[in-house]
Amino acid sequence: MKTRARLAILFILHSLIAVAQECHNSPWMSFISDSRTVASLSIPGAHDAATGEGMCIIAGFGKTQVLDISSLWECGVRAFDLRPAMDNGKLHIYHGPVKTKISFQEALEIISAKLEQQPSEFAIVLLRNEGKACDEWKEAIGKAIAALNDKAAMFSPTMKMADVRGKILFLSRDEYSGCNRGAMIKGWSHSHDGTTSAEIVPYNNGTAAHLNVQDYYDTTGKNGLELKSNAATRFIELAGSAPDGCWTINFLSAYRTTWLGFTPFATSAGYKRNASAVNREIAEMLAQRTADNKKATGIIFIDYAGIDKAPGGIWHWREFHTHGKQLVQIIIEQNFR
């Protein structure tokens, strides 16, 4: 029992040290021209951003972040992957079947407060229904967005920085109702090839935008990690050569693990293994760009954003070099050439 107690204390201390490593960026969007289109930006994002708030289940499953939403913002993250589901009549954020310790409303309040403090910035919230498809979810999401009034952005393919400063742009992978702000994504893909034929359809009946999406998330199989890295690199290159008004969403996140011989859930160690390889490769690739050849990367969602080393966990005690702090900074730097 004494050994278990010591291990538990070490695990808690290790987690606190990781949180203390969060980085602090100035409001970096304030240095970007009002005339710059949002689609031409390089925006660091956090996959399943709310998992850093804590998980309501045994440690080791579904957690992809160490920093909470507020700390992710301070680190420079401006895109947040949030996955609310209906829970006793309210929207609560989950990752798959795993419940986080924050509601959708609480998450929006944190982001809104940051925008009040730094009105030069804007945030992207990528939505997905992590529960049962139902009209209740559609109505609840629409109501939450409508309640923000003009703090929720209208979408257009060539929207500019001047259109979104101080606002939240909602992009949803599932339909919501009762609101004309934000947009719905159609044609999402989990293929290792991704897709270049998705689209973003605005709720204000405006013109749809062309969208490139890469979200290959299970790299456990043979050559899975190589396929993931190649796909992530390819979609960064696509973003850099995309025509005006074409958007790119690129997930570096994936899990690479088995648990008792199968993968019923994505373990946190699996996400850390993937981040240790893919985050590093992408950071090295972008860091090699000179001031003359920096190009847009699109919106890049990563695991363990804001920390370069993630502690081990209940299933794996080894520390992982996730390069999340370095990568966020390098993505931001791609905007300034």
Side-chain angles (χ1 to χ4, degrees), residues 1 3 14 51-54 57 68 90 105 138 153 172 175 189 191 241 247 269 275 281-283 299-300 323 326 329:
M1 291 298 293
T3 300
H14 218 57
T51 60
E53 301 285 344
I57 195 172
D68 58 24
K90 295 182 179 181
Q105 184 60 38
K138 296 178 183 179
S172 182
E175 182 182 1
S189 172
S191 164
S241 60
W247 293 57
E281 288 186 26
I282 299 303
I299 307 162
I300 299 183
H323 306 276
Q326 176 192 17
Q329 186 62 50

Side-chain angles (χ1 to χ4, degrees), residues 120-317:
S120 64
E121 312 300 285
F122 79 93
I124 293 173
V125 170
L126 180 65
L127 293 171
R128 172 179 165 174
N129 183 357
E130 210 74 333
K132 183 179 179 180
C134 60
D135 289 339
E136 188 180 13
W137 187 91
K138 296 178 183 179
E139 294 167 1
I141 291 292
K143 184 177 180 180
I145 296 174
L148 293 171
N149 298 312
D150 61 356
K151 295 300 181 183
M154 295 281 194
F155 177 83
S156 72
T158 56
M159 62 196 305
K160 295 179 171 56
M161 282 298 301
D163 302 320
V164 291
R165 291 198 196 275
K167 299 180 181 181
I168 301 175
L169 173 61
F170 291 91
L171 303 177
S172 182
R173 294 164 61 181
D174 295 282
E175 182 182 1
Y176 57 84
S177 60
C179 179
N180 67 347
R181 296 179 182 273
M184 181 179 173
I185 295 173
K186 295 184 178 181
W188 195 272
S189 172
H190 294 296
S191 164
H192 64 78
D193 291 326
T195 180
T196 58
S197 58
E199 60 180 358
I200 306 175
V201 182
Y203 275 98
N204 61 0
N205 296 319
T207 304
H210 187 90
L211 172 66
N212 302 321
V213 175
Q214 186 282 125
D215 186 17
Y216 175 53
Y217 63 84
D218 184 356
T219 61
T220 303
K222 184 179 179 180
N223 299 325
L225 196 58
E226 182 181 359
L227 288 171
K228 179 65 179 182
S229 180
N230 289 343
T233 300
R234 174 172 170 252
F235 275 75
I236 287 175
E237 296 300 332
L238 283 173
S241 60
D244 192 34
C246 177
W247 293 57
T248 302
I249 295 178
N250 195 356
F251 273 75
L252 303 194
S253 170
Y255 60 81
R256 179 178 177 80
T257 188
T258 56
W259 185 66
L260 300 181
F262 61 101
T263 55
F265 300 104
T267 66
S268 298
Y271 285 113
K272 291 170 187 175
R273 285 191 185 96
N274 179 80
S276 296
V278 178
N279 284 4
R280 175 182 56 80
E281 288 186 26
I282 299 303
E284 289 176 353
M285 181 194 78
L286 294 177
Q288 290 173 1
R289 290 179 168 182
T290 64
D292 292 334
N293 72 354
K294 289 179 181 177
K295 300 177 182 178
T297 66
I299 307 162
I300 299 183
F301 287 95
I302 68 176
D303 289 329
Y304 300 97
I307 58 169
D308 284 335
K309 295 180 181 179
I314 192 169
W315 309 114
H316 199 296
W317 290 94

Side-chain angles (χ1 to χ4, degrees), residues 57-79:
I57 195 172
I58 186 170
F61 291 108
K63 189 174 178 66
T64 64
Q65 305 296 336
V66 169
L67 303 184
D68 58 24
I69 292 173
S70 178
S71 299
L72 287 170
W73 179 278
E74 295 302 323
C75 167
V77 168
R78 294 294 182 267

